[in-house]
Amino acid sequence: MMERKGRFRHQSLQDKKSIQKLLDAIKRGIAKGELQFGDDTGEITLEPRGLMNLRVTATSEDDQSRLDLRITWTNDSENGKDSGKLKVKGG
């Protein structure tokens, strides 16, 4: 859903396999330096460069779990908070 110029937002139900494909595409886009997102309502292209901030939040409460990944960067500043080396285990 295109909310305003310069911002893209999308929400849909996906299975594990389709989410893996989306994450793989994001991985390739970061490596290439160009991420393109789009759906029927709009599109946006981002150009990740230099150092990026990564924030991972994982929660599990009652019958609902949530994983938030946020990657941010700026073109003219490489400052940010660092919480040390991130460890992720799958499976």
Side-chain angles (χ1 to χ4, degrees):
M1 160 182 10
M2 202 68 174
E3 292 187 346
R4 62 179 188 240
K5 184 177 177 164
R7 183 174 179 150
F8 174 83
R9 187 176 214 161
H10 176 87
Q11 182 173 331
S12 61
L13 292 174
Q14 305 280 336
D15 62 16
K16 289 190 290 187
K17 194 172 232 177
S18 62
I19 290 180
Q20 280 182 309
K21 288 180 183 179
L22 291 168
L23 291 172
D24 285 341
I26 291 169
K27 180 178 83 167
R28 288 190 307 272
I30 289 172
K32 181 181 172 187
E34 182 177 272
L35 290 163
Q36 296 177 340
F37 298 92
D39 62 14
D40 293 340
T41 63
E43 60 185 45
I44 192 168
T45 299
L46 303 176
E47 297 177 345
R49 305 212 188 290
L51 293 176
M52 293 177 263
N53 291 308
L54 172 66
R55 183 171 75 184
V56 177
T57 306
T59 57
S60 181
E61 297 176 2
D62 300 323
D63 63 343
Q64 189 170 14
S65 297
R66 179 175 177 155
L67 170 64
D68 290 317
L69 299 173
R70 176 178 265 183
I71 302 169
T72 59
W73 62 91
T74 58
N75 295 329
D76 55 352
S77 175
E78 295 182 0
N79 297 331
K81 295 181 181 177
D82 190 345
S83 298
K85 186 175 180 177
L86 173 66
K87 300 173 192 165
V88 177
K89 294 182 182 180

Coordinates of all heavy atoms in Angstrom, one line a residue:
M1 N 0.8 -1.2 0.0 CA 0.0 0.0 0.0 C 0.9 1.2 0.0 O 1.8 1.4 0.8 CB -0.9 0.0 1.2 CG -1.5 1.2 1.6 SD -2.5 1.2 3.2 CE -2.2 -0.3 3.9
M2 N 0.7 2.1 -1.0 CA 1.5 3.3 -1.0 C 0.8 4.3 -0.1 O -0.3 4.7 -0.4 CB 1.5 3.8 -2.5 CG 2.6 4.7 -2.8 SD 4.2 3.9 -2.7 CE 5.2 5.2 -3.3
E3 N 1.5 4.7 0.9 CA 0.9 5.7 1.9 C 1.2 7.1 1.5 O 0.3 7.9 1.6 CB 1.5 5.4 3.3 CG 1.0 4.1 3.9 CD 1.4 3.9 5.3 OE1 2.3 4.7 5.8 OE2 0.9 3.0 5.9
R4 N 2.4 7.4 1.1 CA 2.7 8.8 0.7 C 4.0 8.6 -0.2 O 4.7 7.6 -0.2 CB 3.0 9.7 1.8 CG 4.1 9.3 2.7 CD 4.3 10.3 3.9 NE 5.5 9.9 4.6 CZ 5.6 9.6 5.9 NH1 4.5 9.6 6.6 NH2 6.7 9.3 6.4
K5 N 4.3 9.7 -0.9 CA 5.5 9.7 -1.7 C 6.7 9.3 -0.9 O 6.9 9.9 0.2 CB 5.7 11.0 -2.4 CG 6.8 11.0 -3.4 CD 6.9 12.3 -4.1 CE 8.2 12.2 -5.0 NZ 8.2 13.2 -6.0
G6 N 7.5 8.4 -1.4 CA 8.7 8.0 -0.6 C 8.5 6.9 0.4 O 9.4 6.6 1.1
R7 N 7.3 6.4 0.5 CA 7.0 5.3 1.4 C 6.1 4.3 0.8 O 5.1 4.5 0.2 CB 6.3 5.9 2.6 CG 6.0 4.9 3.7 CD 5.4 5.5 4.9 NE 5.2 4.5 5.9 CZ 5.2 4.7 7.2 NH1 5.5 5.9 7.7 NH2 5.0 3.8 8.1
F8 N 6.5 3.0 1.0 CA 5.8 1.9 0.5 C 5.5 0.9 1.7 O 6.4 0.7 2.5 CB 6.7 1.1 -0.5 CG 6.0 -0.2 -1.0 CD1 5.1 -0.1 -2.0 CD2 6.4 -1.4 -0.5 CE1 4.5 -1.3 -2.5 CE2 5.8 -2.6 -0.9 CZ 4.9 -2.5 -1.9
R9 N 4.3 0.4 1.7 CA 3.9 -0.5 2.8 C 3.1 -1.6 2.1 O 2.2 -1.3 1.3 CB 3.2 0.2 3.8 CG 2.9 -0.7 5.0 CD 2.2 0.2 6.1 NE 2.7 -0.3 7.4 CZ 2.7 0.4 8.5 NH1 2.2 1.6 8.5 NH2 3.1 -0.2 9.6
H10 N 3.3 -2.9 2.6 CA 2.5 -4.0 2.0 C 2.3 -5.0 3.2 O 3.2 -5.2 4.0 CB 3.3 -4.7 0.9 CG 2.7 -5.9 0.4 ND1 1.7 -5.9 -0.6 CD2 2.8 -7.2 0.8 CE1 1.3 -7.1 -0.8 NE2 1.9 -7.9 0.0
Q11 N 1.1 -5.6 3.2 CA 0.8 -6.6 4.2 C 0.0 -7.7 3.5 O -1.0 -7.4 2.7 CB -0.1 -6.0 5.3 CG -0.4 -7.0 6.4 CD -1.0 -6.4 7.6 OE1 -0.8 -5.2 7.9 NE2 -1.9 -7.2 8.3
S12 N 0.4 -9.0 3.7 CA -0.3 -10.1 3.1 C 0.0 -11.3 3.9 O 1.0 -11.4 4.6 CB 0.0 -10.3 1.6 OG 1.4 -10.5 1.5
L13 N -0.8 -12.4 3.7 CA -0.5 -13.7 4.3 C 0.4 -14.4 3.3 O 0.2 -14.5 2.1 CB -1.8 -14.5 4.5 CG -2.7 -13.9 5.6 CD1 -4.0 -14.7 5.6 CD2 -2.0 -14.0 7.0
Q14 N 1.5 -15.0 3.9 CA 2.5 -15.8 3.1 C 2.8 -17.1 3.8 O 2.8 -17.1 5.0 CB 3.7 -15.0 2.9 CG 3.6 -13.6 2.3 CD 3.4 -13.6 0.8 OE1 3.8 -14.6 0.1 NE2 2.7 -12.6 0.3
D15 N 3.2 -18.1 3.1 CA 3.7 -19.3 3.7 C 5.2 -19.2 3.9 O 5.9 -18.3 3.4 CB 3.3 -20.6 3.0 CG 3.9 -20.6 1.6 OD1 4.8 -19.9 1.2 OD2 3.4 -21.5 0.8
K16 N 5.8 -20.2 4.6 CA 7.2 -20.1 4.9 C 8.1 -20.1 3.6 O 9.1 -19.3 3.6 CB 7.7 -21.4 5.7 CG 7.2 -21.4 7.1 CD 7.8 -22.5 8.0 CE 7.3 -23.8 7.6 NZ 7.8 -24.9 8.5
K17 N 7.7 -20.8 2.6 CA 8.5 -20.9 1.4 C 8.5 -19.5 0.7 O 9.5 -19.1 0.2 CB 8.0 -22.0 0.5 CG 8.9 -22.3 -0.7 CD 8.4 -23.6 -1.4 CE 9.5 -24.5 -1.5 NZ 9.1 -25.8 -2.1
S18 N 7.3 -18.9 0.6 CA 7.3 -17.6 -0.1 C 8.1 -16.5 0.7 O 8.7 -15.6 0.1 CB 5.9 -17.2 -0.4 OG 5.2 -17.0 0.8
I19 N 8.0 -16.6 2.0 CA 8.8 -15.6 2.8 C 10.3 -15.9 2.6 O 11.1 -14.9 2.5 CB 8.4 -15.7 4.3 CG1 7.0 -15.1 4.4 CG2 9.4 -15.0 5.2 CD1 6.4 -15.1 5.8
Q20 N 10.7 -17.1 2.5 CA 12.1 -17.4 2.2 C 12.5 -16.8 0.9 O 13.6 -16.2 0.8 CB 12.4 -18.9 2.1 CG 12.5 -19.6 3.4 CD 12.8 -21.1 3.2 OE1 12.1 -21.8 2.5 NE2 13.8 -21.6 3.9
K21 N 11.7 -16.9 -0.1 CA 12.0 -16.3 -1.5 C 12.1 -14.7 -1.3 O 13.0 -14.1 -1.9 CB 10.9 -16.7 -2.5 CG 11.0 -18.1 -2.9 CD 9.9 -18.4 -3.9 CE 10.0 -19.9 -4.3 NZ 8.9 -20.3 -5.3
L22 N 11.2 -14.1 -0.6 CA 11.3 -12.7 -0.4 C 12.6 -12.3 0.3 O 13.2 -11.3 -0.1 CB 10.1 -12.2 0.4 CG 8.7 -12.3 -0.3 CD1 7.6 -12.1 0.7 CD2 8.6 -11.3 -1.4
L23 N 12.9 -13.0 1.4 CA 14.2 -12.7 2.1 C 15.4 -12.9 1.2 O 16.4 -12.1 1.3 CB 14.3 -13.6 3.4 CG 13.3 -13.2 4.5 CD1 13.3 -14.2 5.6 CD2 13.5 -11.8 5.0
D24 N 15.4 -14.0 0.4 CA 16.5 -14.2 -0.6 C 16.6 -13.0 -1.6 O 17.7 -12.5 -1.9 CB 16.3 -15.5 -1.4 CG 16.6 -16.7 -0.6 OD1 17.3 -16.6 0.5 OD2 16.1 -17.8 -1.0
A25 N 15.4 -12.5 -2.0 CA 15.4 -11.3 -3.0 C 16.0 -10.1 -2.3 O 16.7 -9.3 -2.9 CB 14.0 -11.1 -3.5
I26 N 15.6 -9.9 -1.0 CA 16.2 -8.8 -0.2 C 17.7 -8.9 -0.1 O 18.4 -8.0 -0.2 CB 15.5 -8.7 1.1 CG1 14.0 -8.2 0.9 CG2 16.2 -7.7 2.1 CD1 13.1 -8.3 2.1
K27 N 18.1 -10.1 0.2 CA 19.6 -10.4 0.3 C 20.3 -10.1 -1.0 O 21.3 -9.4 -0.9 CB 19.8 -11.9 0.7 CG 21.2 -12.3 0.9 CD 21.4 -13.7 1.3 CE 21.3 -14.6 0.1 NZ 21.7 -16.0 0.3
R28 N 19.8 -10.5 -2.1 CA 20.4 -10.2 -3.4 C 20.4 -8.7 -3.7 O 21.3 -8.1 -4.2 CB 19.7 -10.9 -4.5 CG 20.0 -12.4 -4.5 CD 19.5 -13.1 -5.8 NE 18.1 -12.9 -6.0 CZ 17.1 -13.6 -5.6 NH1 17.3 -14.6 -4.8 NH2 15.8 -13.3 -5.9
G29 N 19.3 -8.0 -3.3 CA 19.2 -6.6 -3.5 C 20.2 -5.8 -2.7 O 20.7 -4.8 -3.2
I30 N 20.4 -6.2 -1.5 CA 21.4 -5.5 -0.6 C 22.7 -5.7 -1.2 O 23.5 -4.8 -1.3 CB 21.3 -6.0 0.8 CG1 20.0 -5.5 1.5 CG2 22.5 -5.6 1.6 CD1 19.7 -6.1 2.9
A31 N 23.1 -6.9 -1.7 CA 24.4 -7.2 -2.3 C 24.6 -6.4 -3.6 O 25.6 -5.8 -3.8 CB 24.5 -8.7 -2.6
K32 N 23.5 -6.2 -4.3 CA 23.6 -5.5 -5.6 C 23.6 -3.9 -5.4 O 24.0 -3.2 -6.2 CB 22.4 -5.9 -6.4 CG 22.3 -5.2 -7.8 CD 21.0 -5.7 -8.5 CE 20.8 -4.9 -9.8 NZ 19.6 -5.2 -10.4
G33 N 23.0 -3.5 -4.2 CA 22.9 -2.1 -3.9 C 21.6 -1.5 -4.5 O 21.5 -0.3 -4.6
E34 N 20.6 -2.3 -4.7 CA 19.3 -1.8 -5.2 C 18.2 -2.8 -4.8 O 18.2 -3.9 -5.1 CB 19.3 -1.7 -6.7 CG 18.0 -1.1 -7.3 CD 18.0 -0.9 -8.8 OE1 18.5 0.1 -9.2 OE2 17.6 -1.9 -9.5
L35 N 17.2 -2.2 -4.0 CA 16.1 -3.0 -3.6 C 14.8 -2.3 -4.2 O 14.6 -1.1 -4.1 CB 15.9 -2.9 -2.1 CG 16.9 -3.6 -1.2 CD1 16.9 -3.1 0.2 CD2 16.6 -5.1 -1.3
Q36 N 14.0 -3.2 -4.9 CA 12.8 -2.7 -5.5 C 11.6 -3.4 -4.9 O 11.6 -4.6 -4.8 CB 12.8 -2.9 -7.0 CG 13.9 -2.2 -7.8 CD 13.9 -2.5 -9.2 OE1 13.4 -3.5 -9.7 NE2 14.5 -1.6 -10.0
F37 N 10.7 -2.6 -4.4 CA 9.5 -3.2 -3.8 C 8.3 -2.6 -4.6 O 8.2 -1.5 -5.0 CB 9.3 -2.7 -2.3 CG 10.5 -3.2 -1.4 CD1 11.6 -2.4 -1.2 CD2 10.4 -4.4 -0.8 CE1 12.6 -2.9 -0.4 CE2 11.4 -4.9 0.0 CZ 12.5 -4.1 0.2
G38 N 7.2 -3.5 -4.8 CA 6.1 -3.0 -5.5 C 4.9 -3.9 -5.3 O 5.1 -5.1 -5.0
D39 N 3.7 -3.4 -5.5 CA 2.5 -4.2 -5.6 C 1.5 -3.4 -6.5 O 1.9 -2.5 -7.1 CB 1.9 -4.6 -4.2 CG 1.5 -3.4 -3.4 OD1 1.4 -2.2 -3.9 OD2 1.3 -3.5 -2.2
D40 N 0.3 -3.8 -6.4 CA -0.7 -3.1 -7.3 C -1.0 -1.6 -7.0 O -1.5 -0.9 -7.8 CB -2.1 -3.8 -7.2 CG -2.0 -5.2 -7.8 OD1 -1.1 -5.5 -8.6 OD2 -2.9 -6.1 -7.5
T41 N -0.5 -1.2 -5.8 CA -0.8 0.2 -5.3 C 0.4 1.1 -5.4 O 0.2 2.3 -5.3 CB -1.3 0.2 -3.9 OG1 -0.3 -0.3 -3.0 CG2 -2.5 -0.7 -3.7
G42 N 1.6 0.6 -5.7 CA 2.7 1.5 -5.8 C 4.0 0.7 -5.8 O 4.1 -0.5 -5.7
E43 N 5.1 1.5 -5.9 CA 6.4 0.9 -5.8 C 7.5 1.9 -5.3 O 7.2 3.1 -5.3 CB 6.8 0.3 -7.2 CG 6.9 1.4 -8.3 CD 7.2 0.8 -9.7 OE1 6.6 -0.2 -10.0 OE2 8.0 1.4 -10.4
I44 N 8.6 1.3 -4.9 CA 9.7 2.2 -4.4 C 11.0 1.4 -4.7 O 11.1 0.2 -4.7 CB 9.5 2.5 -2.9 CG1 10.5 3.6 -2.5 CG2 9.7 1.3 -2.1 CD1 10.2 4.2 -1.1
T45 N 12.1 2.2 -4.9 CA 13.4 1.7 -5.1 C 14.3 2.3 -4.1 O 14.3 3.5 -3.9 CB 14.0 2.0 -6.5 OG1 13.1 1.4 -7.5 CG2 15.4 1.4 -6.7
L46 N 15.0 1.4 -3.3 CA 16.0 1.9 -2.3 C 17.4 1.5 -2.8 O 17.6 0.5 -3.4 CB 15.7 1.3 -1.0 CG 14.3 1.5 -0.4 CD1 14.1 0.7 0.9 CD2 14.0 3.0 -0.2
E47 N 18.4 2.3 -2.4 CA 19.8 2.0 -2.7 C 20.6 1.9 -1.5 O 21.2 2.9 -1.0 CB 20.3 3.1 -3.7 CG 19.5 3.1 -5.0 CD 20.0 4.2 -5.9 OE1 20.7 5.2 -5.5 OE2 19.6 4.1 -7.1
P48 N 20.7 0.7 -0.9 CA 21.5 0.5 0.3 C 23.0 0.7 0.0 O 23.5 0.1 -0.9 CB 21.2 -0.9 0.8 CG 20.6 -1.6 -0.4 CD 20.1 -0.5 -1.3
R49 N 23.7 1.5 0.8 CA 25.1 1.7 0.6 C 25.8 1.9 2.0 O 25.2 2.4 2.9 CB 25.4 3.0 -0.2 CG 24.6 2.9 -1.6 CD 25.4 3.7 -2.6 NE 24.7 3.8 -3.9 CZ 24.4 2.8 -4.7 NH1 24.7 1.6 -4.4 NH2 23.7 3.1 -5.8
G50 N 27.1 1.6 2.0 CA 27.8 1.9 3.2 C 27.4 1.1 4.4 O 26.8 0.0 4.3
L51 N 27.7 1.6 5.6 CA 27.3 0.9 6.8 C 25.8 1.0 7.1 O 25.2 2.1 6.8 CB 28.1 1.4 8.0 CG 29.6 1.1 8.0 CD1 30.2 1.8 9.2 CD2 29.8 -0.4 8.0
M52 N 25.2 0.0 7.5 CA 23.7 0.0 7.8 C 23.5 -0.4 9.2 O 24.2 -1.2 9.8 CB 23.0 -1.0 6.8 CG 23.1 -0.5 5.4 SD 22.3 -1.7 4.3 CE 23.8 -2.6 3.8
N53 N 22.4 0.1 9.8 CA 22.0 -0.2 11.2 C 21.0 -1.4 11.0 O 20.1 -1.3 10.2 CB 21.3 0.9 11.9 CG 22.3 2.0 12.2 OD1 23.3 1.8 12.8 ND2 21.9 3.2 11.8
L54 N 21.2 -2.4 11.9 CA 20.3 -3.6 11.9 C 19.7 -3.6 13.3 O 20.4 -3.6 14.3 CB 21.0 -4.9 11.6 CG 20.3 -6.2 11.8 CD1 19.1 -6.3 10.8 CD2 21.2 -7.3 11.7
R55 N 18.3 -3.7 13.3 CA 17.6 -3.9 14.6 C 16.8 -5.2 14.4 O 16.0 -5.3 13.5 CB 16.8 -2.7 14.9 CG 16.1 -2.9 16.3 CD 15.4 -1.6 16.7 NE 14.2 -1.4 16.0 CZ 13.4 -0.4 16.1 NH1 13.8 0.6 16.9 NH2 12.3 -0.3 15.4
V56 N 16.9 -6.1 15.4 CA 16.1 -7.3 15.4 C 15.4 -7.4 16.7 O 15.9 -7.2 17.7 CB 17.0 -8.6 15.2 CG1 16.2 -9.9 15.3 CG2 17.9 -8.6 14.0
T57 N 14.1 -7.6 16.6 CA 13.2 -7.8 17.8 C 12.4 -9.0 17.6 O 11.7 -9.2 16.6 CB 12.2 -6.6 17.9 OG1 13.0 -5.4 17.9 CG2 11.5 -6.7 19.2
A58 N 12.5 -10.0 18.5 CA 11.8 -11.2 18.5 C 11.0 -11.3 19.8 O 11.5 -11.2 20.9 CB 12.7 -12.4 18.3
T59 N 9.7 -11.6 19.7 CA 8.8 -11.8 20.8 C 7.9 -13.0 20.7 O 7.5 -13.4 19.6 CB 8.0 -10.6 21.1 OG1 7.2 -10.3 20.0 CG2 8.8 -9.3 21.4
S60 N 7.6 -13.6 21.8 CA 6.7 -14.7 21.8 C 5.8 -14.6 23.0 O 6.3 -14.7 24.2 CB 7.4 -16.1 21.8 OG 6.5 -17.1 21.8
E61 N 4.6 -14.3 22.9 CA 3.6 -14.1 24.0 C 2.3 -14.8 23.7 O 1.8 -14.7 22.6 CB 3.4 -12.6 24.2 CG 4.6 -11.8 24.5 CD 4.3 -10.3 24.7 OE1 3.1 -9.9 24.5 OE2 5.2 -9.5 24.9
D62 N 1.9 -15.6 24.7 CA 0.7 -16.4 24.5 C 0.7 -17.2 23.2 O 1.5 -18.0 23.0 CB -0.6 -15.4 24.6 CG -0.6 -14.7 26.0 OD1 -0.2 -15.3 27.0 OD2 -1.0 -13.5 26.0
D63 N -0.3 -16.9 22.3 CA -0.4 -17.7 21.1 C 0.1 -16.9 19.9 O -0.2 -17.3 18.8 CB -1.8 -18.1 20.9 CG -2.8 -16.9 20.7 OD1 -2.4 -15.8 21.0 OD2 -3.9 -17.2 20.2
Q64 N 0.9 -15.8 20.1 CA 1.4 -15.1 19.0 C 2.9 -14.8 19.1 O 3.4 -14.5 20.1 CB 0.6 -13.7 18.9 CG 0.9 -12.9 17.7 CD 0.0 -11.7 17.5 OE1 -0.7 -11.3 18.5 NE2 0.0 -11.2 16.3
S65 N 3.6 -15.0 17.9 CA 5.0 -14.7 17.9 C 5.2 -13.6 16.8 O 4.4 -13.5 15.9 CB 5.8 -16.0 17.5 OG 5.7 -16.9 18.5
R66 N 6.3 -12.9 17.0 CA 6.6 -11.8 16.1 C 8.1 -11.6 15.9 O 8.9 -11.8 16.8 CB 6.0 -10.5 16.7 CG 6.3 -9.3 15.8 CD 5.5 -8.1 16.4 NE 5.8 -6.9 15.7 CZ 5.0 -5.9 15.6 NH1 3.9 -5.9 16.3 NH2 5.4 -4.8 15.0
L67 N 8.5 -11.4 14.6 CA 9.9 -11.1 14.3 C 9.9 -9.8 13.5 O 9.2 -9.7 12.5 CB 10.5 -12.2 13.4 CG 11.8 -11.9 12.8 CD1 12.9 -11.7 13.9 CD2 12.2 -13.1 11.9
D68 N 10.6 -8.8 14.0 CA 10.7 -7.5 13.3 C 12.2 -7.3 12.9 O 13.1 -7.5 13.8 CB 10.3 -6.3 14.2 CG 8.9 -6.3 14.5 OD1 8.1 -6.5 13.5 OD2 8.5 -6.0 15.6
L69 N 12.4 -7.1 11.6 CA 13.8 -6.8 11.1 C 13.7 -5.4 10.6 O 12.9 -5.0 9.8 CB 14.2 -7.7 10.0 CG 14.2 -9.2 10.3 CD1 14.5 -10.0 9.0 CD2 15.3 -9.5 11.3
R70 N 14.6 -4.5 11.0 CA 14.7 -3.2 10.5 C 16.1 -2.9 10.1 O 17.0 -3.0 10.9 CB 14.2 -2.2 11.6 CG 14.4 -0.7 11.1 CD 13.9 0.2 12.1 NE 12.5 0.6 11.8 CZ 11.8 1.4 12.4 NH1 12.3 2.0 13.5 NH2 10.5 1.7 12.0
I71 N 16.3 -2.5 8.9 CA 17.6 -2.1 8.3 C 17.5 -0.6 7.9 O 16.6 -0.3 7.1 CB 18.0 -3.0 7.1 CG1 18.0 -4.4 7.6 CG2 19.3 -2.6 6.6 CD1 18.1 -5.4 6.4
T72 N 18.3 0.2 8.4 CA 18.3 1.6 8.1 C 19.7 2.1 7.7 O 20.7 1.5 8.1 CB 17.8 2.5 9.3 OG1 18.7 2.3 10.4 CG2 16.4 2.1 9.6
W73 N 19.8 3.1 6.9 CA 21.1 3.7 6.5 C 20.8 5.1 6.0 O 19.7 5.5 5.7 CB 21.7 2.9 5.3 CG 20.9 2.8 4.1 CD1 21.0 3.7 3.0 CD2 19.9 1.9 3.7 NE1 20.2 3.3 2.0 CE2 19.5 2.2 2.4 CE3 19.4 0.8 4.3 CZ2 18.5 1.5 1.8 CZ3 18.4 0.1 3.7 CH2 18.0 0.4 2.4
T74 N 21.9 5.9 6.1 CA 21.9 7.2 5.6 C 23.0 7.4 4.6 O 24.0 6.6 4.6 CB 22.0 8.3 6.7 OG1 23.2 8.0 7.4 CG2 20.8 8.2 7.7
N75 N 22.9 8.4 3.7 CA 23.9 8.6 2.7 C 25.1 9.4 3.2 O 26.2 9.3 2.7 CB 23.3 9.4 1.5 CG 22.3 8.5 0.8 OD1 22.3 7.3 0.8 ND2 21.3 9.2 0.2
D76 N 24.9 10.1 4.3 CA 26.0 11.0 4.8 C 26.5 10.8 6.2 O 27.3 11.5 6.7 CB 25.6 12.4 4.6 CG 24.3 12.8 5.3 OD1 23.6 11.8 5.8 OD2 23.9 13.9 5.3
S77 N 26.0 9.7 6.8 CA 26.4 9.5 8.2 C 26.6 8.0 8.5 O 25.7 7.2 8.0 CB 25.4 10.0 9.2 OG 25.8 9.7 10.5
E78 N 27.6 7.6 9.2 CA 27.8 6.2 9.5 C 27.8 6.0 11.0 O 28.3 5.0 11.5 CB 29.2 5.7 8.9 CG 29.1 5.7 7.4 CD 30.4 5.2 6.8 OE1 31.3 4.8 7.5 OE2 30.5 5.2 5.6
N79 N 27.2 6.9 11.7 CA 27.1 6.8 13.2 C 25.9 6.0 13.6 O 24.9 6.0 13.0 CB 27.0 8.2 13.8 CG 28.2 9.0 13.6 OD1 29.3 8.5 13.4 ND2 28.0 10.3 13.5
G80 N 26.0 5.3 14.7 CA 24.9 4.5 15.2 C 25.3 3.7 16.4 O 26.5 3.6 16.8
K81 N 24.3 3.2 17.1 CA 24.6 2.4 18.3 C 24.9 0.9 17.9 O 24.3 0.4 16.9 CB 23.3 2.4 19.2 CG 23.0 3.7 19.8 CD 21.8 3.6 20.7 CE 21.5 5.0 21.3 NZ 20.3 5.0 22.1
D82 N 25.8 0.3 18.6 CA 26.2 -1.1 18.3 C 26.0 -1.9 19.5 O 26.6 -1.6 20.6 CB 27.6 -1.1 17.8 CG 28.1 -2.4 17.2 OD1 27.3 -3.4 17.4 OD2 29.1 -2.5 16.6
S83 N 25.2 -3.0 19.4 CA 25.0 -3.9 20.6 C 25.9 -5.1 20.5 O 25.6 -6.1 21.2 CB 23.5 -4.3 20.6 OG 22.6 -3.2 20.7
G84 N 26.9 -5.1 19.7 CA 27.8 -6.3 19.6 C 27.4 -7.2 18.5 O 26.5 -6.9 17.7
K85 N 28.0 -8.4 18.4 CA 27.7 -9.3 17.4 C 26.4 -10.0 17.6 O 26.1 -10.5 18.6 CB 28.9 -10.3 17.3 CG 28.8 -11.3 16.2 CD 30.0 -12.2 16.1 CE 29.8 -13.1 14.9 NZ 31.0 -13.9 14.7
L86 N 25.6 -10.0 16.5 CA 24.3 -10.7 16.5 C 24.5 -12.2 16.3 O 25.2 -12.6 15.4 CB 23.3 -10.1 15.5 CG 22.0 -10.8 15.3 CD1 21.1 -10.7 16.5 CD2 21.3 -10.2 14.1
K87 N 23.8 -13.0 17.0 CA 23.8 -14.5 16.8 C 22.4 -14.9 16.4 O 21.4 -14.6 17.2 CB 24.2 -15.2 18.1 CG 25.6 -14.8 18.6 CD 25.9 -15.4 19.9 CE 27.2 -14.8 20.5 NZ 27.3 -15.1 21.9
V88 N 22.2 -15.6 15.3 CA 21.0 -16.1 14.9 C 21.1 -17.6 14.5 O 22.1 -18.0 13.8 CB 20.5 -15.3 13.6 CG1 19.2 -15.9 13.1 CG2 20.3 -13.9 13.9
K89 N 20.2 -18.4 15.1 CA 20.3 -19.8 14.8 C 18.9 -20.2 14.1 O 17.9 -19.8 14.6 CB 20.5 -20.7 16.0 CG 21.8 -20.5 16.6 CD 22.0 -21.4 17.8 CE 23.3 -21.2 18.5 NZ 23.5 -22.1 19.7
G90 N 19.0 -20.9 13.1 CA 17.8 -21.4 12.4 C 17.7 -22.9 12.5 O 18.6 -23.6 12.0
G91 N 16.6 -23.4 13.1 CA 16.4 -24.9 13.1 C 17.1 -25.6 14.2 O 17.9 -25.4 15.0

